[in-house]
Amino acid sequence: MIVGTAGHIDHGKTSLVRALTGVEGDRLKEEKARGITIDLGFAYLPLPDGPTIGFIDVPGHEKFVRTMVAGSTGIDMALLVVAADDGVMPQTVEHLAILDLLGIRHGVVALTKMDLVSPERLAEVTAGIRTALNPTCLAHVDIIPVSVATGDGVDTLRERLSAEAWSRQVHHDDARFRLAIDRVFTLTGIGVVVTGTVLSGAVQLKDAVMISPQGLAARVRSIHAQNQEADEGCAGDRVALNLAGPDISKDAIHRGDMVLDPFLHAPTDRIDARLRLLPGEPRPITSWFPARLHHGSVETGVRIVLLEGDALRPGDAADVQLVLDHPIAAASLDRFVLRDTTAQRTIGGGFFMDLRAPARQRRTPARMAERAAWADPDARAALARLMEAPPHARRLSAFARDRALSSDTLDVIIRSLLPVILGAGDEQIALNATQWQRVIDTVVARLALFHTEHPDLQGMPRETLRRATEPRLAAPAFTQALLHADLRTHVARDGAFVRLASHVPVASAADEAAWQAIAPLLGGETRFRPPRVRDIAAMLGRPEADIRQRMKSAARRGLADEIAHDHFFLRDVVHEMVQIAVDVAAHAPDGRFTAAQFRDRLDNGRKVAIQILEFFDRQGVMLNRGTVRSIRADYTDLFAPTARL
């Protein structure tokens, strides 16, 4: 269990921790000289045959409140220290506000220096503490008088903390690993060591991790949890990690960085959040109000954009967008604190909702619904609400990443909700039953209308149909949607086009007869360099304009494709050339090949090969990267022979 101290300067936090543990919390020369805690101090109290209580001794001086915020992130229990002679002081109030904003609900108050005051004064200060606690989430906590000088109450306080530690369950959650770094140093013969509190998940020896937001890959060489060598560090543990990697050095890692599961690495600098402004603020805030954001152990500048109303008044809460000066590593529902730009006072705080907030259309009803969904503390309910809110189609990997969910947890949620899942890998998207039916209905309705307006065309271009479908799906997901059993009974694919299964393009007798004469001329051994319209017209002794018209009719029916002006290839041949390109790419370094490599396989001359490649570029089958090309795997079926899906 991690206990974080809080309270006004010189109220005896460090002395109390020393009395409880026998460990000196002040660790810097400056701290000892000045008699105040400047940076985080750490002490541990192993319980007999039981858990270890870790103490984070945070500074009380107002200049060091930002360090206090870092220390309070990830603690299990607050130890609020108030001196009986002074009573509740300004930093007491501010620290209590920070604990409340961070949502810390377990705690105890140590009323120190009880030996210096009368019983009446002790009762008066106790009443003042209770008044300060009442509006916060720590309103219910015990107040225990103690004296470090005489030892009175210290054992009682230690027993209270021990009972809490024994009652708490081990933190083995199934979220992914995150640790907020608050110290970085090197040890001779060991290397780079980072310390912090594990916010979620667990880390084990030899695990691959990432330092975010920089994106530095590392491996865990050794672990100390609760000041003891360990094979694992779990959520709630105070942990030191010895990290190794090609780019890992003391100067490359900073306080405020996050060590995390590589899956979670996705820094953000624009976040929709719920913000509560403290009642004591002197005035309302308006959009683009500047402040300092504290999250985990990081501090950065931020601008606040209001998403509700024109001003946020003291004591009120509202949805806001936080535009950060620098990207940070975060997760949805993480708590944060805001201080003013002069670092003189805490002004408010809250929790993150959507980590991928848009810069435009921030106040629409759709965005309000999305934010409300992200704010749901239950991950299953949050995903269900997101699928109800526009744009409905939700990338499962992005949802799991931003909620720091393990793959097992995501699988449980999916089995519970039973969404329709389309796409593959990181591109998998989920739709609920209602939105999936909308996709089916929209596809069928759009195709029916298209066939009514264009009865002679083979079908609607697949990409055009995708953009017209609601809810709109990414290209890989739309491809899978067309292959889904629920749609295969309704639609068929003709190369790059989609049609209703019942639709047959209308062709005149003259067009059909002409095609029967033209088609053989485009096949055979010369299929990769077929004759052009003028050549076919000469072979058949017919006007060039007539041949061109018949060829375009065949193209509309999906029998041929016009690769370049007046240069038509049979649809089956176009599909064959796509497969050849796929094979060339498969045998090329990094899947990238040149026009010459493709030309050599077709043996049809550089000019024609270039025309074919440029046609494939336009159709999205290939990506042109200057002198080389690569294949887009999700488009290789565009020119497949006419087939029922």
Side-chain angles (χ1 to χ4, degrees), residues 364-375 382 385-386 388-390 394:
T364 64
R367 282 300 302 160
M368 291 176 63
E370 275 196 279
R371 288 196 296 272
W374 280 109
R385 294 174 68 174
L386 283 169
E388 286 289 342
R394 298 295 173 176

Side-chain angles (χ1 to χ4, degrees), residues 147-160:
S147 170
V148 172
T150 66
D152 290 341
V154 174
D155 288 342
T156 302
L157 178 59
R158 187 185 296 110
E159 289 170 5
R160 173 70 182 82

Side-chain angles (χ1 to χ4, degrees), residues 219-284:
R219 180 175 55 83
V220 178
R221 296 177 60 183
S222 64
I223 302 173
H224 274 67
Q226 308 295 70
N227 207 35
Q228 296 180 349
E229 190 171 351
D231 295 328
E232 182 180 57
C234 301
D237 284 348
R238 182 73 201 166
V239 168
L241 301 178
N242 174 209
L243 301 178
D247 299 315
I248 298 301
S249 67
K250 182 179 181 296
D251 293 335
I253 305 174
H254 311 286
R255 180 186 188 132
D257 293 343
M258 196 86 74
V259 186
L260 40 71
D261 183 318
F263 175 78
L264 300 180
H265 175 60
T268 177
D269 60 3
R270 188 180 294 270
I271 304 170
D272 281 353
R274 188 71 177 173
L275 170 64
R276 175 162 62 91
L277 195 62
L278 291 178
E281 276 302 284
R283 62 183 67 85

Side-chain angles (χ1 to χ4, degrees), residues 65-201:
V65 169
R66 68 182 184 89
T67 308
M68 183 267 166
V69 176
S72 298
T73 300
I75 70 172
D76 298 303
M77 187 176 185
L79 175 58
L80 181 64
V81 179
V82 182
D85 53 349
D86 281 345
V88 175
M89 297 291 283
Q91 260 60 60
T92 312
V93 174
E94 184 168 23
H95 281 207
L96 187 55
I98 292 170
L99 295 172
D100 189 45
L101 291 170
L102 293 175
I104 296 169
R105 301 183 179 279
H106 298 276
V108 64
V109 177
L111 181 52
T112 59
K113 304 183 182 182
M114 60 176 290
D115 57 305
L116 301 182
V117 300
S118 66
E120 293 77 18
R121 173 61 180 170
L122 207 61
E124 178 187 349
V125 174
T126 299
I129 294 171
R130 187 61 66 187
T131 299
L133 292 172
N134 280 337
T136 75
C137 56
L138 294 174
H140 61 286
V141 304
D142 296 334
I143 302 174
I144 300 176
V146 297
S147 170
V148 172
T150 66
D152 290 341
V154 174
D155 288 342
T156 302
L157 178 59
R158 187 185 296 110
E159 289 170 5
R160 173 70 182 82
L161 295 172
S162 299
E164 181 75 19
W166 277 106
S167 68
R168 297 185 68 80
Q169 297 296 318
V170 178
H171 280 273
H172 282 279
D173 65 18
D174 56 359
R176 291 184 183 264
F177 171 68
R178 296 192 301 145
L179 177 143
I181 298 173
D182 51 42
R183 283 196 295 168
V184 185
F185 53 89
T186 57
L187 293 176
T188 303
I190 300 295
V192 176
V193 177
V194 301
T195 67
T197 301
V198 181
L199 303 181
S200 64

Side-chain angles (χ1 to χ4, degrees), residues 334-351:
D334 278 358
R335 294 276 179 163
F336 68 92
V337 170
L338 293 180
R339 305 200 79 224
D340 74 317
T341 55
T342 65
Q344 295 297 308
R345 68 184 191 281
T346 300
I347 63 177
F351 63 92

